Amino acid sequence: MQERTLDFIEPETSVKVLKVTGQKSSRKRILDMGLTPGTKVEVIRRAPLGDPVKFKLKGYNLSLRKKEAETVLVEIIE
Amino acid sequence: MTEKITVALAGNPNVGKTSIFNAITGSKQHVGNWPGVTVERKMGKRKHKDVEMQVVDLPGTYSLTAYSLDEIIARDFIIEEKPDIVVQVIDATNLERNLYLTTQLMELGTRLIIALNMTDLALAKGDSIDVQKMQEFLEVPVISTIGSRGGGIEELLDSVTKEIHRTRTSENIFVYGVEIEKSAEELENVLAEDPYFSHYPSRWFSMKLLEGDENIIKKAEESENYPQIRKILQRTDADSFEAKIADQRYKTIQTMLRQVCNINTDRLSGSDMVDRVVTNKYLGIPIFLSLMWAAFEITFTFATPFMNIIDIFFGWLAETAAGVITVSWLASLVGDGMIAGVGSVLIFLPNILLLFFMISLMEDSGYMSRAAFIMDKVMSKIGLHGKSFIPLIMGFGCNVPAIMATRTIEDSRDRLITILITPFMSCGARLPVYVLLAGAFFGRDAGIVIFGLYALGIFVALISAKLMRSTIVKGEDTPFIMELPSYKIPTLKGSILHMWERGKIYLKKAGGIILIGVVGVWILASIPAPGSGGTFASEEIYGTTDSMIGFIGQIIEPLVAPLGFDWKIAVALLFGVVAKEIVVGSMGVLYGVGDNEDSLSEILAAGAMTPLAGLGLMVFTLLYVPCFACIGVIKRETGSWKWTAFQLFYGTGLAWIFAFVLYQVGSRMGLFA
Amino acid sequence: MEQHYGKTEITFAALAGLLYTISGIYHIAEGIGIDIGIYEGMARSLFISGDILGGFCLVVTGAVFLYGFKEMMQGINAGVSFLYVGILMSLVFMMIYLLIMGGNLLDSFIVPEDYEGWSIMETFRPGIYLGILSIAGLLYWRDRFSLHEVLALREGA
Ligand SMILES: Nc1nc2c(ncn2[C@@H]2O[C@H](COP(=O)(O)OP(=O)(O)OP(=O)(O)O)[C@@H](O)[C@H]2O)c(=O)[nH]1
Ligand SMILES: [Mg+2]
């Protein structure tokens, strides 16, 4: 399994979160929103201008900018 | 005997807290389908079975670690003011993330009741939730509700009255693994020794310390025992603890959810389908623009017949008044002052109502968050956030709530800039000025002119943001983490209610401050100027340069003469600072609509002003000092007179420059002469 | 994988897409002042007015349908979303045109002097008659739209 950051994942792919890195405050917020290790995240699509990106996790929709997605390490699941 | 208790409504954003609050207390607080509608705490009262409840509606928050001002308000209320009971409102279609806050509230040791809201949506989606089992697991009462229709409210209140007398047994249901528990215990021991911490449950406080909650650490620093605490914390691996704690909380929730509910995940939901279209790469922005145009078109076109009705009514009223009142000065006060002034403003009530109806459709459907999502990239180019886009759109209605809405923006500098540029969004109060002048001078092209003014406002706002970002309010990009709620069909009742609430404000304004303003203008227009020797309210001096207002107007006229404005407009603009509708109201008084057959726009079109000056006046009104209410809210939200003054001078300066260039260049080139 | 749409959906999307796009372009052309009619007075007989922004909205609606057509032809199940949203959008615009029409009618009773020689048909627009197609679609697929409180668009069988 290959480790990647969430911003590199193509839309319509499902991934599993491995780790959240990045700055303290944004990291905690991302964890609070449910991107904890092991969580399944679906990359839905990018906004018309390429950024931010819409994700689906734990049954709700979340949007993150690529810059924040960059701090989330994930692996692709089939 | 009656008991008095405080009940706080807490929960994640957009789960229906305010809907439930309204259902309990009968109030009409603002509800909308996007996260961050409520940004301050609202109080209400309700008596149920001899228990007098002080109900508090709080802003939404995802966890007890707060990031933005609205979240801080919610957190502080729960932690510091310790309400007797916290009702956590939970979105039944989104249990997992909602219960995350529950775990924290339980740890805090609050007396908790869960209102399982939006059960209608969960049912429609095909989920099934075993409320009884959930209650057993959590050991707190769980009540099913449908906030928007008031379902389950009585049961909820029953449960509140029962809960205050129940002796509680359970605590600390979350165990975080050996390593964390060990550190937690050490911390708890230290905390127990210091009375300074007795205000907070020690278990909760130590978990927060281990999570690295900055606010809690700051609190701990004030204690004498801080060195000891720091020693324990230094031994731990804060980063991994933080993730582990969050992880453990979610794991506990998942374990429970597996047993209490069955969630239907296989169907593509309606929201997903709509999003697939409206956030489509190629179609997203065109769809946004076409919806904006549609809202604009309705606001202006559909209003016409209703405006005509009001116009006819005031015409009749003026005539009747003139017939009945025989004292000449009184007739002038009522006719030229009150009726002409207030009438010129009230005629725009249909526009205002439609405008707010459109905004409420946008808020209630859930499209608001999508607009923020689509426009985030544009906003990031000017150093702001998609979240700043929501206050800007709200600003088209009224700048005051829009500036309040900036409280959801986490970064204080982002928030400051958003507050400073929001007044450039053309609010409903400026609309009368446009409709009047564009209608008078540009006839068929009025729509395009007005559209252009809105566009100019947006343009100035964006450029100003960029400018401030790169000069006086420097700062880095802040994280953009935003929930996209699922779409809901706006109810006609909800939208009409919202429209009516705003309409009432407009009517009150017309009957209050605007009436006072126009009567003030009339009085000044009737008092003879010093040394002119005329008599009070005589026709010779009324509204001329021999009146007091002419005297004042001529003093300030040189300031605006380079913009092509005469003294009457100077005075109207001066009074318009109070509320921008007064610009139109005072023009009504000064151009003598009262005893005239023609309407104000006909008088203007007949040559009282050139179209070029009219255009300049619209631009000036768009950009210069916002109204008193807005100045007040800028001061309150920025907490600084300096920034408030900055906004006023910056805006007025820009207004002057734009109108100056327009007039000077335009008149040289012979445009709209 | 099971397919969630059939020939009816594809045909509807193609038809509505073309009609909306063409009439939208026609509106814009009239607005700029280019006559693209095939015969004398074609614009009049189709109730097309010179309205650039209104035309733009029709083109966007058409594009939504056509995009759905494209995705459905590619076999993408979720492509049917565009059909449903297209129907909803066209109904929104139909409603707006109807309201404008109603507003004008009302106004003609209030200030009859401004409306001499005016007929209600002057405000009749393609957005209205094309919307009838969408109403038909809405009724045909009515079990897939549940517009009660929650928008539960369902994928077809
Ligand atoms: N279908 C349904 N909709 C609901 C229910 N309760 C609330 N809503 C809708 O959910 C949306 C959010 O409601 P609010 O009451 O504004 O939510 P809030 O929790 O106060 O939101 P914030 O103030 O932003 O934190 C609105 O569109 C409501 O009409 C419910 O039980 N069922
Ligand atoms: Mg609220």
Side-chain angles (χ1 to χ4, degrees), chain B residues 561-588:
Chain B
L563 319 181
F565 302 162
D566 64 10
W567 69 266
K568 287 184 180 177
I569 295 172
V571 171
L573 286 171
L574 184 67
F575 280 86
V577 174
V578 177
K580 285 195 172 170
E581 295 94 337
I582 296 184
V583 174
V584 169
S586 0
M587 281 167 67

Side-chain angles (χ1 to χ4, degrees), chain B residues 14 16-19 30-32 36-39 57-60:
Chain B
N14 205 46
K17 298 177 295 299
T18 306
S19 306
H30 191 54
V31 165
V37 178
T38 309
V39 290
D57 182 24
L58 294 172

Side-chain angles (χ1 to χ4, degrees), chain B residues 120-121 149 268 270 273-274 276-277 280 283 286-287 290 293-294 297-298 301-302 304-306 308-309 312 489, chain C residues 53 57 60 63-64 67 71 76 78 81-82 84-85 93 96 99-100 103 106-107 110-111 149-151 153 155:
Chain B
D120 55 332
L121 297 190
R149 278 187 269 140
L268 190 63
M273 294 177 103
V274 175
R276 189 179 174 83
V277 181
N280 177 277
L283 298 170
I287 290 176
S290 67
W293 174 85
E297 184 73 10
I298 280 293
T301 318
F302 190 56
T304 318
F306 304 100
N308 280 331
I309 293 177
I312 291 173
I489 299 287
Chain C
L53 294 172
C57 293
V60 172
V64 169
Y67 204 92
E71 285 207 342
I76 301 172
S81 317
F82 290 87
Y84 299 151
V85 175
F93 289 122
I96 287 170
L99 281 175
I100 291 173
L106 191 60
D107 206 33
I110 298 166
V111 278
E149 301 237 345
V150 50
L151 176 74
L153 295 177
E155 292 163 77

Side-chain angles (χ1 to χ4, degrees), chain B residues 584-605:
Chain B
V584 169
S586 0
M587 281 167 67
V589 175
L590 290 174
Y591 288 101
V593 186
D595 51 12
N596 204 312
E597 271 292 288
D598 298 334
S599 69
L600 182 52
S601 84
E602 283 160 339
I603 296 172
L604 292 175

Side-chain angles (χ1 to χ4, degrees), chain B residues 410-426:
Chain B
E410 288 96 348
D411 184 77
S412 60
R413 282 161 306 189
D414 281 6
R415 179 159 176 253
L416 176 62
I417 295 182
T418 313
I419 292 174
L420 294 176
I421 63 171
T422 300
F424 296 127
M425 303 312 283
S426 190

Side-chain angles (χ1 to χ4, degrees), chain C residues 5-91:
Chain C
Y5 53 87
K7 282 213 179 67
T8 331
E9 281 86 349
I10 299 182
T11 319
F12 189 99
L15 182 69
L18 284 176
L19 288 176
Y20 270 94
T21 313
I22 292 171
S23 73
I25 291 174
Y26 203 167
H27 268 283
I28 297 175
E30 280 289 310
I32 311 175
I34 309 166
D35 189 19
I36 58 170
I38 302 166
Y39 55 85
E40 255 307 285
M42 176 167 162
R44 240 192 114 66
S45 63
L46 291 174
F47 304 100
I48 304 263
S49 69
D51 179 359
I52 297 173
L53 294 172
F56 170 76
C57 293
L58 293 184
V59 171
V60 172
T61 312
V64 169
F65 281 120
L66 290 179
Y67 204 92
F69 170 74
K70 181 199 127 209
E71 285 207 342
M72 283 191 277
M73 289 304 278
Q74 289 171 334
I76 301 172
N77 257 332
V80 74
S81 317
F82 290 87
L83 172 66
Y84 299 151
V85 175
I87 289 178
L88 293 178
M89 274 178 71
S90 51
L91 291 176

Side-chain angles (χ1 to χ4, degrees), chain B residues 78-93:
Chain B
I78 298 169
I79 297 179
E80 307 295 341
E81 315 220 353
K82 300 200 169 174
D84 298 306
I85 288 203
V86 173
V87 173
Q88 190 198 344
V89 183
I90 283 187
D91 176 354
T93 61

